[in-house]
Amino acid sequence: MSGGTALVERTTISGNTAVTSVGRYPYMSGTGEGGGILLSSGDLVVRDSVLSGNSCRGANAARGGGAFIGGGTARFERCLIAGNVVSGDDP
């Protein structure tokens, strides 16, 4: 998300992957940040939700398997955040 305000409620965010454009995939524009959620600006509230089984990977640039908050404000209320992974290896 970039800018604005968002509410995510009673939602499951699962099975997503973010990949960096560094290394093996130079033609891709991905940042490898936020496998489930990427917030670069704005306001985000995630409530009564599950973030699980998400991943991000890439040559030493991957951050935030479940969520990466690079800017803005985020609030997680009564959420389960588990089983998300980050890999610095380029598969």
Side-chain angles (χ1 to χ4, degrees), residues 35-81:
I37 293 174
L38 170 60
L39 178 66
S40 58
S41 65
D43 299 304
L44 173 67
V45 175
V46 182
R47 182 180 299 141
D48 299 318
S49 295
V50 175
L51 278 83
S52 67
N54 300 292
S55 65
C56 55
R57 64 178 188 243
N60 303 317
R63 301 184 287 181
F68 179 74
I69 313 304
T73 58
R75 188 171 69 229
F76 294 85
E77 302 173 352
R78 299 179 304 275
C79 293
L80 172 65
I81 302 174

